[in-house]
Amino acid sequence: MTKRISIAIDGPAAAGKSTIAKMVAKNLNYTYIDTGAMYRCVAYYAWLNHIDFHDEQGVSALLKDIDIQMFPDGTIQLNHEDVTSSIRENEVSMGASIVSQYEVVRTFLVDKQRQMAQGGGVILDGRDIGTVVLKDAELKIYQVASIECRALRRHKENLQRGLESNLEDIQKEIALRDEQDMNRLISPLKKADDAIEIDTSDMTLEEVVAKVMQLVEQRV
Ligand code: DC
């Protein structure tokens, strides 16, 4: 029987991590865990409760009332309500980047992520998977792409979904989030020493998946 390993994919906002992670998880029959969605749930719950994202104490006090459930079909429930699309709103993206700076928020979610990842056969994407959450992951990927490329991909995605979209605004929002995520004090986004960097700017989805699958095969 082949070994079921743990795979960490980190990288900046809108680098296509979740798309790749989902495809690789499907190929391998692994569980995919979208850790960004968990930070988004905390931000969304703060917004629902009219708590300012910058109010660390206010946000921290909410954690005890937060129950996040992630289903294999990609559905995300927050306290038994389907929040799969609500947590993708722009305001929630920025909120997630802000609340992810708080130590209690990170501890709360990292504990959950480690529990969910127990036993291997998992692929997690986020900002601190290879550096903090799964330091011993057998395969660590640091997925990057130029900011222009990331913004354009997100813009096209929005248009395809029939959402209003402004390329310039998207680029600004992504740049600001990256800046915040890379410069925060606790678990900032950075490449783990033993991570393999993949620049997807000039690669197709299929090429990226093939590259990751090749790296997996070397490790199982
Ligand atoms: O991956 P995403 O864009 O859905 O993540 C939203 C925000 O959550 C991101 O800007 C920073 C934070 N985040 C984090 O701090 N650590 C993670 N492992 C995942 C996301």
Side-chain angles (χ1 to χ4, degrees), residues 52-105:
D52 191 312
F53 298 135
H54 291 98
D55 174 0
E56 181 168 359
Q57 285 198 339
V59 172
S60 305
L62 296 176
L63 295 176
K64 61 178 188 340
D65 303 323
I66 292 182
D67 174 50
I68 301 167
Q69 295 208 38
M70 305 170 95
F71 297 89
D73 68 352
T75 305
I76 296 161
Q77 284 188 1
L78 168 62
N79 298 338
H80 306 289
E81 296 271 334
D82 186 340
V83 296
T84 318
S85 36
S86 326
I87 59 167
R88 299 289 149 199
E89 301 278 337
N90 273 345
E91 207 179 330
V92 181
S93 307
M94 194 46 77
S97 177
I98 296 166
V99 303
S100 70
Q101 297 173 25
Y102 307 145
E103 187 167 15
V104 275
V105 171

Side-chain angles (χ1 to χ4, degrees), residues 137-170:
E138 287 89 347
L139 175 59
K140 297 181 184 178
I141 310 273
Y142 194 71
Q143 188 174 327
V144 297
S146 71
I147 178 113
E148 292 79 12
C149 178
R150 288 184 280 141
L152 189 61
R153 283 182 194 159
R154 185 53 52 92
H155 179 59
K156 284 185 182 161
E157 246 172 55
N158 287 347
L159 295 180
Q160 257 172 17
R161 285 187 191 154
L163 300 174
E164 247 180 65
S165 190
N166 178 299
L167 182 58
E168 221 174 284
D169 288 349
I170 295 177

Side-chain angles (χ1 to χ4, degrees), residues 10 13-14 17 34-37 39-40 88 93 96-97 100 106 113 125-129 133 154 177 181 184 187:
D10 290 300
K17 303 182 293 290
D34 175 355
T35 67
Y39 290 91
R40 286 170 182 272
R88 299 289 149 199
S93 307
S97 177
S100 70
R106 300 207 72 83
Q113 291 156 13
D125 78 341
R127 304 292 186 287
D128 62 338
I129 310 303
V133 182
R154 185 53 52 92
R177 255 189 328 131
D181 297 344
R184 65 175 176 233
S187 313

Side-chain angles (χ1 to χ4, degrees), residues 12-17 20 142-153 156 197-209 211:
K17 303 182 293 290
I20 298 301
Y142 194 71
Q143 188 174 327
V144 297
S146 71
I147 178 113
E148 292 79 12
C149 178
R150 288 184 280 141
L152 189 61
R153 283 182 194 159
K156 284 185 182 161
E197 181 164 325
I198 304 180
D199 185 336
T200 69
S201 304
D202 300 314
M203 292 171 83
T204 64
L205 276 182
E206 291 70 25
E207 284 169 341
V208 184
V209 172
K211 172 81 192 159

Side-chain angles (χ1 to χ4, degrees), residues 1-63:
M1 219 168 83
T2 45
K3 197 169 129 195
R4 289 170 67 77
I5 62 168
S6 300
I7 305 171
I9 303 189
D10 290 300
K17 303 182 293 290
S18 66
T19 310
I20 298 301
K22 271 183 222 159
M23 290 168 84
V24 173
K26 196 167 172 220
N27 280 352
L28 294 167
N29 200 16
Y30 276 23
T31 302
Y32 163 57
I33 303 169
D34 175 355
T35 67
M38 299 168 87
Y39 290 91
R40 286 170 182 272
C41 281
V42 173
Y44 183 61
Y45 196 63
W47 178 82
L48 281 179
N49 286 278
H50 311 288
I51 303 290
D52 191 312
F53 298 135
H54 291 98
D55 174 0
E56 181 168 359
Q57 285 198 339
V59 172
S60 305
L62 296 176
L63 295 176

